[in-house]
Amino acid sequence: MTNTVPKILIVGGGYAGFYTAWKLEKHLRKGEAEVTIVDPLPYMTYQPFLPEVAAGSIEARHSVVALRRHLKRTNVLAAKVTGIEHARKVATITPIEGDPFEFEYEHIVVTAGAVSRTFPIPGIADNAIGLKTIEEAVAIRDRLMSNFDKASVLPPGPARDRLLTTVVIGGGFAGIEVFAELRSLASALVSSYPQLSFEDTHFHLVEAMGRIMPEVSLKTSEWVLKDLAKRGASVHLDTQVTGAVDGNVELSTGEIIPSDLIIWTAGVMANPTVVRGSDLLVEERGRILTRADLRVGTDEEVVQGAWAAGDVSAVPDLSGGGVGGYCVPNAQHAVRQAKLLAKNLTAVLRGELPREYYHKNLGAVAGLGLYNGVFQSGNLALKGFVAWVAHRGYHGMAMPSWERKWRVLWGWWNNLWLGRDLVNLSTVQNPRYVFEEFAARPRPQVVANPVDDKGAKKPAKSVKVAASR
């Protein structure tokens, strides 16, 4: 290293990456280290809010945290880390504009998160959409509302049924929340479309296991099933999706459900671009092998200068509650691991020993549409309105920074009195369509072939015509 100030490179600006950088700014003395965070998107997405964004209960911009606004002493690079050669302590950074370059570091923190994990099911890659990003949540909302507009001018029949049918694949927390929130949104939309009725809308959730929401007790999950059934939703347990070609969702039971909105929430995997492009230790599920003190390595060996946290890492769960002995990929762990990682990294820079990560699961809370939710902590289970209040209270306070908290709370307050904002902005995905339709274009060139006095054609001349105004 030519620079006497240690360089810290953070790969990924999600939960763990943002909180690591945020807390490093608090713990590090001025000039003690130089921190750089790399992510192609300039914001952190608060993923527990994605179902409410999809349902229009939260403004999309309010559920993300701008990195440049809140990281005052951190270098923010809009790029991807496409290679990590820790043996040389060099990362390859590919910016969103420009050529790749090498970045030397003293410490690297891998917090690249997770992406949707799919299977090679025919039609899924072409017709389904995930729920890991704010862009996906907005697209889901706009698609549902656009489908209502289209269906309202169609006569009853297969075409209209397809537009009004939503299929969610995966019965974990993310799947159940977006399923219930969209069911709630659709119920609210019906009153604005006299041509449509509640019975015209169809919602199907497909889960391969024999139950939903393994994070809560069986009794609580059964209550959720009954609640969804009361709202006209169909849940297919012990059922797998075998195809989705042309939007026709084929189930292992033989049933075929034509749908124009297919949402995949059946699992996640560590960011493969970062994991496969690095020489760091990886365990069998494709996550970076991480010690309890959040340094990369095993109990017997430490990879000096390499750290990991969040969904991309396999961190031992010392509380004994983790699946396979590791912390489950959720926000509770990502945030707390990042906070400890910042402390541990600072301690190592100062020649001190890092502490091990220990966190016992506080419970699980989920929103099931407006004024409805479920909460589970140990043997304590809350359902309905009280759980919905607990859900909003917990996540409202967990949202990073008071600036973002107030934006979310203000939106909820406005919606309480003004109702849902039902504006559909699906055309924002093709914002130039009006301009292109009416924009003046140059007229085509006119080629003249005059005939001379002997009857022979003279060489053609191009006649330029001014563009119409």
Side-chain angles (χ1 to χ4, degrees):
M1 295 288 173
T2 58
N3 193 332
T4 57
V5 177
K7 290 185 177 180
I8 300 172
L9 176 63
I10 301 175
V11 183
Y15 281 119
F18 170 77
Y19 269 96
T20 298
W22 205 23
K23 296 305 177 181
L24 279 174
E25 290 191 350
K26 175 182 178 182
H27 300 310
L28 291 173
R29 305 185 190 103
K30 186 176 181 180
E32 190 172 6
E34 180 183 308
V35 182
T36 299
I37 189 168
V38 180
D39 196 292
L41 299 174
Y43 50 79
M44 183 216 87
T45 301
Y46 190 74
Q47 293 184 1
F49 280 159
L50 292 182
E52 288 200 63
V53 172
S57 298
I58 295 179
E59 166 61 34
R61 285 185 175 87
H62 296 170
S63 63
V64 300
V65 180
L67 299 181
R68 298 183 191 276
R69 174 164 185 167
H70 295 281
L71 300 178
K72 302 298 185 183
R73 295 190 288 118
T74 301
N75 301 320
V76 179
L77 296 183
K80 290 183 179 180
V81 171
T82 52
I84 298 173
E85 193 176 345
H86 192 67
R88 294 197 301 130
K89 290 194 173 180
V90 170
T92 300
I93 296 179
T94 303
I96 58 176
E97 194 70 38
D99 299 324
F101 61 90
E102 288 191 341
F103 185 98
E104 295 184 3
Y105 59 82
E106 185 71 29
H107 290 269
I108 189 167
V109 179
V110 184
T111 53
V115 298
S116 296
R117 175 176 61 91
T118 59
F119 306 101
I121 301 171
I124 287 295
D126 300 318
N127 299 296
I129 185 171
L131 189 65
K132 289 292 292 179
T133 67
I134 193 67
E135 293 82 4
E136 288 174 323
V138 172
I140 288 170
R141 177 177 183 266
D142 287 341
R143 172 64 69 88
L144 180 70
M145 299 183 72
S146 294
N147 285 352
F148 267 73
D149 289 332
K150 296 173 184 177
S152 66
V153 296
L154 291 177
R160 192 170 81 168
D161 288 342
R162 175 187 289 269
L163 289 169
L164 297 177
T165 298
T166 298
V167 176
V168 176
I169 304 168
F173 253 63
I176 290 295
E177 283 194 288
V178 73
F179 185 66
E181 290 285 355
L182 291 179
R183 172 70 273 183
S184 177
L185 172 60
S187 299
L189 283 174
V190 166
S191 62
S192 300
Y193 292 85
Q195 307 91 337
L196 305 176
S197 66
F198 176 86
E199 289 72 23
D200 292 327
T201 60
H202 312 286
F203 281 76
H204 297 267
L205 183 135
V206 184
E207 169 53 46
M209 296 176 61
R211 59 164 296 182
I212 60 171
M213 304 174 75
E215 301 89 345
V216 302
S217 68
L218 180 60
K219 183 177 180 181
T220 301
S221 70
E222 289 175 346
W223 178 88
V224 174
L225 286 175
K226 293 177 182 177
D227 182 73
L228 291 172
K230 291 178 182 177
R231 291 190 272 166
S234 300
V235 178
H236 307 259
L237 299 178
D238 292 315
T239 305
Q240 296 179 339
V241 173
T242 57
V245 177
D246 296 328
N248 295 311
V249 180
E250 301 176 23
L251 305 183
S252 56
T253 58
E255 186 178 356
I256 297 178
I257 306 172
S259 172
D260 196 59
L261 180 54
I262 306 169
I263 304 169
W264 180 277
T265 64
V268 297
M269 64 179 178
N271 189 317
T273 301
V274 173
V275 173
R276 295 171 188 169
S278 80
D279 59 357
L280 298 174
L281 298 174
V282 178
E283 49 92 63
E284 59 273 11
R285 293 189 61 186
R287 297 173 297 179
I288 294 176
L289 194 59
T290 310
R291 293 160 47 93
D293 59 12
L294 303 175
R295 290 182 290 183
V296 175
T298 63
D299 291 339
E300 296 77 25
E301 180 184 0
V302 178
V303 180
Q304 297 295 339
W307 306 75
D311 295 357
V312 77
S313 64
V315 178
D317 189 342
L318 301 183
S319 73
V323 178
Y326 294 106
C327 297
V328 296
N330 63 22
Q332 276 191 46
H333 285 302
V335 171
R336 288 167 176 81
Q337 287 171 9
K339 291 178 179 179
L340 179 62
L341 195 158
K343 290 182 179 179
N344 283 352
L345 206 166
T346 302
V348 168
L349 288 175
R350 296 172 182 171
E352 302 169 3
L353 293 176
R355 294 190 295 110
E356 292 187 333
Y357 174 74
Y358 179 92
H359 172 67
K360 190 172 183 179
N361 188 20
L362 298 176
V365 59
L368 302 175
L370 281 180
Y371 314 123
N372 195 18
V374 63
F375 169 83
Q376 179 91 46
S377 180
N379 294 325
L380 174 64
L382 303 176
K383 309 176 186 72
F385 179 75
V386 175
W388 177 80
V389 172
H391 168 263
R392 285 207 162 178
Y394 174 80
H395 287 299
M397 293 307 298
M399 185 70 178
S401 83
W402 279 103
E403 177 257 336
R404 241 43 192 168
K405 285 181 173 65
W406 280 117
R407 291 184 189 274
V408 172
L409 293 172
W410 184 246
W412 281 339
W413 176 257
N414 287 335
N415 288 344
L416 177 65
W417 301 104
L418 303 177
R420 293 179 188 267
D421 189 342
L422 300 181
V423 175
N424 172 19
L425 294 178
S426 60
T427 52
V428 76
Q429 298 174 45
N430 182 24
R432 296 184 66 249
Y433 80 101
V434 174
F435 181 83
E436 288 178 330
E437 181 179 355
F438 297 104
R441 291 176 171 81
R443 293 178 182 175
Q445 293 182 343
V446 178
V447 179
N449 290 308
V451 179
D452 60 18
D453 55 355
K454 295 181 180 179
K457 290 185 178 181
K458 294 181 179 180
K461 294 182 179 180
S462 296
V463 180
K464 293 184 178 180
V465 181
S468 59
R469 294 176 181 246

